[in-house]
Amino acid sequence: MRRADRLFQLVQLIRGRRLSTAGFLAQRLEVSMRTVYRDVADLQAQGVPIEGEAGVGYRMRAGFDLPPLMFTTEEAQALVASVRLAQPRLDEALAAQADSALGKILAVLPGAARAAAESLAVYAPPVGMDPAMRARLEPLRRAAEARRLLRLRYRDLKDAVSERRVRPLGCFFWSEVWTLAAWCESRQDFRNFRVDRILELDVLDQHFRDEPGRTLADLFRAVEADPRRQ
């Protein structure tokens, strides 16, 4: 990769995340951490508003922007494939936004690249997604984003019904079903709830804050230490 291309990609990686460590950037760019430190210093010297330092991480100062990006034919095809595969499995609101975003991208592509992307022979028929489960996804996703507590009436795999008060952390797709990862206040532990087995759902007016030991990052660490927790 040419250095100019690497610097451009480095800017894209930093501006696309809240905080990027040198280790993460080095892995994505397939270079050493020393190279990352040097490249960031050079970009800062050229006026690119990168904030942070070695050992902490980097982020882009708010308000920084670049001219519209152009995509290669292969990149455009990858975007089309991603949207086609995802749409039948997303809630309706998010699926519509994905289609809108893809349309904006395709609209600015050169004719040949657009034709190649739209003719991509990769499809995902809308089958197998339970309508009730799909309808649950949007309120669950929005509750997790807004940090709002949920009250669930849930039927587990043994057909036992229980009522739970949970902190929604994220929605996960497992090829056939969606699950809600949450901190269960009833059990004082992390739990995964199959969305298709949620009988009733109430989004409460109460909000929650991230607390040590109860965040999505804590759940990921717990699963890494013990994969049986998935």
Side-chain angles (χ1 to χ4, degrees):
M1 181 188 299
R2 296 184 307 162
R3 185 166 187 267
D5 294 334
R6 187 177 73 241
L7 292 176
F8 183 80
Q9 188 172 352
L10 177 59
V11 170
Q12 299 308 312
L13 290 170
I14 294 175
R15 73 195 291 252
R17 293 165 56 91
R18 292 181 180 178
L19 189 70
S20 299
T21 64
F24 166 80
L25 296 170
Q27 182 180 17
R28 290 294 300 272
L29 295 171
E30 298 182 350
V31 297
S32 68
M33 290 177 60
R34 178 174 297 180
T35 297
V36 170
Y37 296 146
R38 184 176 62 249
D39 286 350
V40 168
D42 288 346
L43 288 168
Q44 290 172 327
Q46 295 171 26
V48 179
I50 298 175
E51 300 176 335
E53 57 185 271
V56 177
Y58 301 102
R59 66 180 180 182
M60 196 68 67
R61 188 182 308 154
F64 178 73
D65 203 0
L66 289 175
L69 301 181
M70 294 305 294
F71 297 92
T72 66
T73 297
E74 291 76 14
E75 289 172 337
Q77 288 180 322
L79 289 170
V80 170
S82 299
V83 172
R84 286 181 181 173
L85 292 173
Q87 273 186 306
R89 297 160 177 82
L90 298 173
D91 62 72
E92 291 187 3
L94 202 57
Q97 293 302 319
D99 187 62
S100 175
L102 182 61
K104 291 178 181 179
I105 293 171
L106 292 177
V108 299
L109 289 178
R114 177 173 181 172
E118 292 180 328
S119 63
L120 180 69
V122 174
Y123 303 93
V127 296
M129 185 71 160
D130 178 51
M133 179 170 63
R134 191 174 194 184
R136 292 255 188 248
L137 286 176
E138 184 177 355
L140 291 174
R141 173 175 61 83
R142 295 192 182 278
E145 293 168 354
R147 296 292 194 270
R148 293 181 62 176
L149 290 169
L150 298 174
R151 183 166 50 236
L152 307 179
R153 189 163 179 266
Y154 184 73
R155 185 191 304 275
D156 66 20
L157 294 178
K158 296 180 180 180
D159 285 334
V161 177
S162 62
E163 291 192 0
R164 307 291 187 92
R165 181 186 170 95
V166 305
R167 303 182 180 193
L169 302 177
C171 298
F172 292 79
F173 183 63
W174 303 89
S175 296
E176 295 182 359
V177 299
W178 279 91
T179 62
L180 171 71
W183 173 265
C184 181
E185 295 196 339
S186 305
R187 301 294 188 267
Q188 288 296 295
D189 200 357
F190 294 111
R191 288 291 187 271
N192 287 305
F193 300 94
R194 278 184 49 158
V195 175
D196 60 336
R197 301 190 73 84
I198 296 176
L199 303 177
E200 296 178 10
L201 165 66
D202 291 319
V203 180
L204 305 180
D205 290 332
Q206 296 170 274
H207 291 75
F208 64 91
R209 296 181 178 178
D210 287 340
E211 297 180 14
R214 301 183 179 188
T215 68
L216 187 60
D218 293 315
L219 174 58
F220 287 154
R221 284 191 285 269
V223 170
E224 185 177 356
D226 183 4
R228 292 175 297 179
R229 293 184 63 97
Q230 292 187 30

